[in-house]
């Protein structure tokens, strides 16, 4: 079984995914890290130089490849559930878990950093806007949902283990 973690930037997909991998012995991977390794440049640089559409097409290739493997904890980029083909690939081989948090906590965790191209410089209102734009797709894609606002990564990982029956 694979577990795919989806959600907004700042919901702790990566840190929870790493904790979950430690606790279960599954292999952790991050779709954005895979992209950056393959492309030899950051997601932010790619958005600036090649555009979002190029990034999304490459991201879909990566998601399909990762989802076809076994024994992975996959931290998905925030926009992954916005494409139906990504959701289809993940749903076929993964338990898809939506991580959520309040807009204030997301902003606190991300701080509007430039490496978050869709949040940079927008403040809490930009987080709310992006959440409203993505909410339906996230909720349709997810089998399970976990609010990480007041959880440590380890506590969130333990809750996911309980929800999914992993161990």
């Amino acid at each position: 079984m694979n577990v795919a973690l989806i959600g907004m930037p700042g919901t702790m997909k990566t840190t929870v995914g790493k904790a979950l991998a430690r606790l279960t012995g599954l292999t952790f991977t991050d779709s954005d890290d895979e992209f950056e390794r393959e492309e030899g440049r950051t997601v932010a640089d790619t958005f600036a130089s090649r555009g979002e559409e190029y990034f999304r097409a490459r991201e879909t290739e990566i998601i399909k490849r990762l989802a076809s493997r076994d024994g992975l904890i996959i931290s998905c980029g925030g926009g992954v559930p916005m494409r139906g083909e990504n959701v289809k690939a993940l749903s076929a081989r993964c338990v898809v878990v939506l991580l959520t948090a309040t807009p204030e906590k997301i902003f606190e965790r991300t701080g509007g950093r430039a490496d978050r191209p869709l949040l940079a410089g927008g403040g809490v209102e930009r987080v709310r806007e992006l959440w409203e734009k993505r909410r339906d797709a996230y909720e349709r894609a997810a089998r399970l949902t976990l609010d990480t606002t007041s959880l440590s990564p380890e506590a969130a990982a333990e809750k996911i283990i309980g929800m999914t029956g992993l161990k």
Side-chain angles (χ1 to χ4, degrees):
M1 172 188 342
N2 295 322
V3 175
L5 302 176
I6 64 170
M8 293 280 290
T11 56
M12 301 196 308
K13 297 181 302 283
T14 298
T15 52
V16 169
K18 288 177 180 177
L20 192 54
R22 279 192 305 276
L23 292 171
T24 63
L26 297 174
T27 302
F28 173 78
T29 188
D30 182 298
S31 66
D32 286 345
D33 289 348
E34 284 291 311
F35 174 88
E36 290 179 353
R37 184 183 57 74
E38 290 180 14
E39 288 287 313
R41 67 174 125 197
T42 67
V43 171
D45 287 346
T46 302
F47 262 70
S49 64
R50 306 279 312 256
E52 184 175 1
E53 188 53 39
Y54 173 82
F55 169 74
R56 297 294 176 204
R58 288 284 294 122
E59 180 179 60
T60 294
E61 293 171 16
I62 291 165
I63 289 297
K64 287 179 177 179
R65 187 172 61 249
L66 293 175
S68 73
R69 295 174 48 198
D70 290 317
L72 294 181
I73 305 295
I74 306 166
S75 174
C76 298
V80 164
M82 302 306 290
R83 283 191 167 200
E85 59 192 309
N86 293 340
V87 173
K88 183 177 178 183
L90 291 172
S91 297
R93 305 273 312 252
C94 305
V95 174
V96 181
V97 180
L98 170 60
L99 300 184
T100 64
T102 64
E104 294 78 14
K105 182 57 84 171
I106 288 171
F107 184 73
E108 177 186 315
R109 289 175 180 159
T110 63
R113 295 189 331 244
D115 65 337
R116 310 282 186 162
L118 295 179
L119 290 180
V124 174
E125 275 311 307
R126 178 63 185 135
V127 173
R128 280 192 186 96
E129 270 177 39
L130 193 57
W131 168 248
E132 287 307 319
K133 180 179 175 185
R134 292 179 171 181
R135 169 186 248 155
D136 289 344
Y138 283 164
E139 291 175 350
R140 279 193 308 273
R143 187 180 309 170
L144 303 167
T145 300
L146 178 64
D147 184 342
T148 66
T149 300
S150 60
L151 296 175
S152 70
E154 294 73 22
E158 289 285 356
K159 285 188 177 282
I160 292 168
I161 289 169
M163 293 162 60
T164 61
L166 283 173
K167 242 317 180 182

